[in-house]
Amino acid sequence: MKKAILLTLFLSLVIAGESKPVHKANVPQLGKNSIDEVLKAMTLQEKAELLVGGDYEVVNGKKGPVLPEAKIGAAGMTKAIPRLGIPCTVLTDGPAGVRISPTRKGDSRTYYATGNPIGTLVASSWDTQCARAVGRNMGNEVLEYGCDVLLAPGMCLHRNPLCGRNFEYFSEDPVLSGTMSGNEILGIQSNGVGTSAKHFVCNNQETYRTQNNSIVSQRALRELYLKNFELAIRIGNPWTIMSSYNLLNGPYTQADKPLLHDWLRGEVGYKGMVMTDWTERRNTVEQVNAENDLMEWGLDVQVQDIINAVKDGKLSIDVVNRNVRNLLNYIVKTPHFRHYKASDAPDLKAHAAVAREMAAQGIILLKNREGTLPLVQGQKIALFGIGSYKGFLANGFGSGDVNKPYVVNIFKGLENAGYQVDPDMAELYEDADADINIGPSYARHRASVDNVAIMTIRRNSGEGSDRRNEPGDWKLSPAELNTMKNIADAFHAQGKKLIVILNIGGVIETASWKNIPDAILLPWQPGEEGGNAIANVISGKVCPSGHLPMTFPLAYEDVPSSKNFPQNDNGGVFDKDKSTIGFTKYDEGIWVGYRYFDTFDKPVSYPFGYGLSYTTFSFSNLKVRYGREVCKAVVTVTNTGKVAGKEVAQLYVSAPKGALEKPKKELRAFAKTRTLQPGESQTLTMTFRTMDMASFNENTNSWVLDPGVYQVKAGQSVEDIKATAPMKISKGVQKKVLAVI
Ligand code: BGC
């Protein structure tokens, strides 16, 4: 009888292609033996445990003790299998810095992490070195706090300005987003830790985010949403990618084989590991088949799903082995595998200095009437808005938040820079619970005693909900508008000025009020050192060089996706059918952001790529060279103004008329100068893949590069082109692809 049981057990293990757990001294060890040997020695249970996240050791194929790493308070872990020398690995959020618990049970120390500027600000710098520096900052803290992967960058495209997580993301344009993300990945991974580029893909809204089907044309997918990730992968080669919560044209992305296997691994050649976002149980077998290697946060039932499916012949052991191999290839790169001894003491002071410097690189000057800024020292500032004080936002909320040691608000920053901020006002706002509606008489009083007014408008958003097309969010609230008007009237009556600072995580309506203040500064949510960075731009210590990574439309309704972006669970054209799956049709196709406004000559409040400086620049000698693989452009940028500064050269390409309707122009490359002294020049070189100019023809499932004369344009925004050069392509190219997603 006993024999029969043993035989059955043996047979079922053989059928599953598995070995029994062996506890001999010569059992293969990861690192000492090849991955193939380790894989061969793994039991089915151990393989299944590895494909499902968790914070414990696997001992004798069972749940062992919880690992000490669990106390860090990171987002997730992979399990350890000590028998085979497989360590645990630790996955931590997120895009603005390491998100771990500041306190640990039984430990009196605190574990703060640097609050870096948000992704949108990094993108606004248009400076790949800035993205790398912020990445290096964060990556070092991942390493020194004993983690292995930063769940970043957040890099969904800004399809709609009201997506609640846009602050974590970079841009409406795939070239800017993909390039900056790719460079941030390089910076993070230069520390010998990994990244998880997220959320792959078309997770462009928070409303109903775990059950929403994004219905997207093959063309828009290929030219925008996938292109964004493809570029980041090409540049940064992230160790891991996080599939998104949503469904895409039917299946959940985490169970989408054409997406994760055919496109990502097949077409792009991605060799890393794919993990889910932090979901409940979904179809486990479909996910394993799709080559979604790791399920987070990880449930015991998923382990059982895998084991049962293999035993029942519903899941091939070869597929399981493929995914386990992806996991093992990832694990051998990690600090935990290298037995890196984390110090728990990264140099937060040095990192704060980097965060401050980089934040200033992405601050955008939207308006500067009669040289209002920079502000000379010695002026007494009337500083309005709770966002200038305790309400100042370093970043948005949710997993994109960081437990920062401190936040320098605008009041503190101005003081640090040597400005005198009216102390009465500081007292007023420090005592307030909410923003204050300033009446004319109080404004007049301030204008009589102070030299200049600064008013901060703040907006917060984050994970789990989208913003609203309402006063107080997309629009100014009546109190904000009233305050702005009263301050402007009072100060203007005295020949004094008003500067507005936008401490926001995403686009707001500006057209109706932007003529009221004298200057508008857009520092987004600039991280823990934000106030100092803002003060450095206000004082002129840093010459502003940020440019918009998205369009500021005249009205929300002008945005094509506003027609099918949810405003609440049943509003708009966001439909929910009876089976709990909602959907959002990306009816605007490729007409996202400036591609729409520019092509159809729709006026905007501020165009994509826009940003002022304290100096001026000229562009000259634009030269372009066509190559079959790579095209190259050079342009000389000269500082023609009176102060030192940096400038971004944006390279757009207009394609000749072909069979497909195309945007009037599309960003293909960009570069930023170093700090140029007045009169100084720098020649910038920009390259881009020739096939990246191709359009996607859905009927033939192929990329099409039309022959003809392409106009290559260098400019300071999509509307402000400074130099144009023709580039001839004599032979067209058509390249068929396989995946239909
Ligand atoms: C978020 C991810 C995050 C994960 C782990 C999810 O809810 O969507 O961005 O990395 O949680 O915290």
Side-chain angles (χ1 to χ4, degrees):
M1 182 66 183
K2 208 168 164 195
K3 248 188 189 163
I5 293 172
L6 279 176
L7 185 67
T8 320
L9 181 68
F10 173 75
L11 278 179
S12 63
L13 287 168
V14 168
I15 290 163
E18 298 312 300
S19 49
K20 286 192 272 176
V22 200
H23 297 279
K24 283 187 285 193
N26 62 355
V27 67
Q29 296 293 299
L30 192 63
K32 292 201 186 83
N33 298 82
S34 71
I35 284 182
D36 278 344
E37 285 168 312
V38 173
L39 193 61
K40 220 166 146 212
M42 289 176 87
T43 65
L44 177 59
Q45 174 92 31
E46 285 168 337
K47 289 175 183 175
E49 296 276 5
L50 201 62
L51 297 185
V52 177
D55 58 4
Y56 55 86
E57 268 184 11
V58 179
V59 183
N60 293 333
K62 288 203 199 80
K63 214 167 178 165
V66 170
L67 291 153
E69 282 85 348
K71 70 172 186 285
I72 299 175
M77 290 175 67
T78 63
K79 294 162 193 161
I81 311 178
R83 186 179 82 83
L84 299 159
I86 300 173
C88 73
T89 67
V90 180
L91 319 168
T92 181
D93 283 309
V98 174
R99 183 170 158 80
I100 50 172
S101 301
T103 53
R104 294 174 191 174
K105 227 174 151 189
D107 184 344
S108 58
R109 278 194 56 192
T110 50
Y111 299 84
Y112 292 118
T114 305
N116 292 279
I118 59 168
T120 300
L121 182 146
V122 174
S124 303
S125 75
W126 293 63
D127 182 353
T128 54
Q129 292 308 320
C130 170
R132 286 199 200 188
V134 170
R136 281 194 299 273
N137 239 21
M138 302 196 288
N140 179 262
E141 291 180 26
V142 173
L143 182 71
E144 293 306 340
Y145 278 134
C147 306
D148 299 275
V149 170
L150 190 69
L151 302 172
M155 51 176 295
C156 296
L157 290 185
H158 292 177
R159 168 180 178 252
N160 184 284
L162 295 183
C163 171
R165 291 184 83 172
N166 274 355
F167 73 96
E168 295 181 57
Y169 305 150
F170 287 77
S171 171
E172 69 186 22
D173 179 83
V175 171
L176 183 59
S177 171
T179 307
M180 296 301 279
S181 308
N183 278 278
E184 193 173 289
I185 291 166
L186 283 176
I188 298 167
Q189 295 191 167
S190 69
N191 291 277
V193 299
T195 53
S196 197
K198 69 189 187 184
H199 308 89
F200 186 63
V201 63
C202 292
N203 184 179
N204 304 96
Q205 68 188 53
E206 286 300 287
T207 306
Y208 218 43
R209 64 177 174 158
T210 58
Q211 286 163 308
N212 193 55
N213 185 10
S214 300
I215 302 176
V216 195
S217 73
Q218 294 297 300
R219 183 172 181 194
L221 255 180
R222 296 259 176 189
E223 292 186 20
L224 304 178
Y225 302 100
L226 293 179
K227 177 74 75 183
N228 175 26
F229 277 89
E230 186 185 341
L231 278 173
I233 293 167
R234 254 195 244 154
I235 295 168
N237 194 15
W239 288 8
T240 84
I241 287 176
M242 188 190 292
S243 50
S244 49
Y245 278 134
N246 56 285
L247 305 91
L248 175 65
N249 292 335
Y252 282 109
T253 62
Q254 69 200 91
D256 190 342
K257 197 165 169 216
L259 178 72
L260 300 184
H261 182 78
D262 302 351
W263 185 82
L264 185 61
R265 269 59 178 240
E267 283 186 32
V268 178
Y270 178 64
K271 299 266 184 298
M273 185 263 275
V274 174
M275 69 177 79
T276 62
D277 199 343
W278 267 232
T279 40
E280 77 283 12
R281 183 186 187 201
R282 284 173 176 173
N283 190 320
T284 307
V285 173
E286 278 179 11
Q287 292 173 63
V288 179
N289 271 326
E291 206 168 350
N292 189 114
D293 307 300
L294 174 66
M295 275 160 258
E296 285 291 345
W297 59 86
L299 300 163
D300 293 346
V301 67
Q302 293 168 318
V303 176
Q304 216 42 58
D305 284 346
I306 296 173
I307 294 170
N308 293 346
V310 171
K311 288 194 171 152
D312 297 350
K314 290 187 180 133
L315 178 62
S316 141
I317 190 68
D318 292 342
V319 166
V320 171
N321 286 345
R322 174 197 67 189
N323 294 8
V324 172
R325 193 174 274 115
N326 288 343
L327 250 304
L328 293 176
N329 276 322
Y330 145 74
I331 290 170
V332 294
K333 293 190 279 196
T334 60
H336 264 95
F337 181 75
R338 299 196 301 272
H339 299 291
Y340 183 80
K341 232 187 133 8
S343 65
D344 267 336
D347 189 346
L348 295 186
K349 220 168 149 202
H351 293 175
V354 173
R356 177 169 64 240
E357 201 188 320
M358 293 310 130
Q361 297 305 312
I363 293 177
I364 302 167
L365 182 62
L366 289 178
K367 177 177 180 178
N368 200 17
R369 190 156 57 201
E370 296 156 6
T372 302
L373 289 170
L375 206 60
V376 290
Q377 293 286 346
Q379 307 208 48
K380 196 162 164 209
I381 300 173
L383 186 58
F384 295 89
I386 202 158
S388 307
Y389 303 90
K390 61 183 179 191
F392 178 69
L393 293 166
N395 49 253
F397 61 80
S399 57
D401 194 4
V402 183
N403 292 309
K404 307 163 278 289
Y406 60 85
V407 175
V408 179
N409 60 31
I410 299 174
F411 168 58
K412 263 258 133 293
L414 288 170
E415 280 204 331
N416 292 344
Y419 288 102
Q420 193 197 349
V421 180
D422 195 314
D424 293 352
M425 299 204 57
E427 212 180 296
L428 178 77
Y429 280 101
E430 290 303 345
D431 285 347
D433 294 328
D435 225 338
I436 301 168
N437 190 348
I438 301 288
S441 57
Y442 186 74
R444 273 200 298 272
H445 166 59
R446 298 274 48 118
S448 66
V449 295
D450 298 323
N451 304 111
V452 60
I454 296 180
M455 174 186 176
T456 301
I457 291 164
R458 73 194 276 273
R459 291 288 182 273
N460 203 0
S461 71
E463 198 173 337
S465 54
D466 289 311
R467 294 175 48 213
R468 302 279 158 151
N469 176 21
E470 283 168 8
D473 195 345
W474 170 254
K475 296 174 185 153
L476 294 193
S477 69
E480 286 169 331
L481 191 58
N482 185 53
T483 298
M484 191 188 293
K485 281 183 177 156
N486 287 338
I487 304 170
D489 286 350
F491 278 74
H492 287 163
Q494 305 266 339
K496 297 173 180 174
K497 303 209 160 150
L498 166 63
I499 299 154
V500 165
I501 296 179
L502 299 177
N503 179 210
I504 56 182
V507 179
I508 62 167
E509 187 276 324
T510 51
S512 68
W513 57 265
K514 67 180 181 183
N515 61 344
I516 299 174
D518 302 277
I520 306 173
L521 203 58
L522 173 57
W524 300 112
Q525 294 163 343
E528 67 183 29
E529 283 281 331
N532 286 331
I534 291 167
N536 284 345
V537 171
I538 286 181
S539 71
K541 190 170 168 197
V542 174
C543 182
S545 63
H547 287 256
L548 288 177
M550 80 295 276
T551 310
F552 271 53
L554 288 178
Y556 176 67
E557 292 72 17
D558 291 349
V559 177
S561 62
S562 64
K563 295 188 184 59
N564 45 24
F565 187 84
Q567 276 297 288
N568 50 50
D569 271 1
N570 52 13
V573 252
F574 171 72
D575 300 90
K576 252 198 303 181
D577 72 15
K578 286 152 203 98
S579 66
T580 74
I581 302 294
F583 57 88
T584 300
K585 290 184 178 165
Y586 288 37
D587 279 339
E588 73 284 354
I590 59 165
W591 306 114
V592 174
Y594 72 86
R595 283 172 170 72
Y596 167 74
F597 293 103
D598 185 49
T599 306
F600 299 102
D601 291 322
K602 298 281 177 208
V604 298
S605 186
Y606 295 109
F608 176 81
Y610 174 88
L612 301 174
S613 168
Y614 296 155
T615 185
T616 50
F617 297 91
S618 73
F619 285 42
S620 57
N621 292 329
L622 173 65
K623 294 202 181 71
V624 292
R625 210 175 64 211
Y626 162 81
R628 265 173 49 158
E629 294 294 321
V630 174
C631 295
K632 185 170 151 184
V634 290
V635 68
T636 301
V637 180
T638 305
N639 183 345
T640 51
K642 293 200 174 60
V643 297
K646 297 178 180 178
E647 180 56 313
V648 176
Q650 303 166 24
L651 199 76
Y652 298 89
V653 176
S654 300
K657 212 173 157 27
L660 297 171
E661 193 185 14
K662 292 178 83 136
K664 198 192 271 177
K665 48 181 155 350
E666 291 178 275
L667 186 75
R668 294 295 173 216
F670 60 91
K672 197 166 186 177
T673 66
R674 59 175 184 269
T675 299
L676 298 177
Q677 298 303 319
E680 197 185 350
S681 300
Q682 183 180 355
T683 297
L684 298 170
T685 303
M686 291 168 269
T687 56
F688 57 92
R689 280 208 196 180
T690 305
M691 275 311 278
D692 280 347
M693 289 187 296
S695 301
F696 193 76
N697 185 333
E698 308 187 336
N699 298 326
T700 56
N701 215 33
S702 54
W703 286 102
V704 181
L705 184 71
D706 289 314
V709 178
Y710 287 69
Q711 298 297 336
V712 180
K713 303 171 178 184
Q716 288 172 297
S717 84
V718 71
E719 284 187 3
D720 191 7
I721 300 303
K722 299 292 187 196
T724 302
M727 184 175 74
K728 195 166 170 212
I729 298 185
S730 21
K731 220 171 142 240
V733 184
Q734 185 160 352
K735 206 176 132 212
K736 225 175 155 40
V737 297
L738 292 176
V740 179
I741 300 153

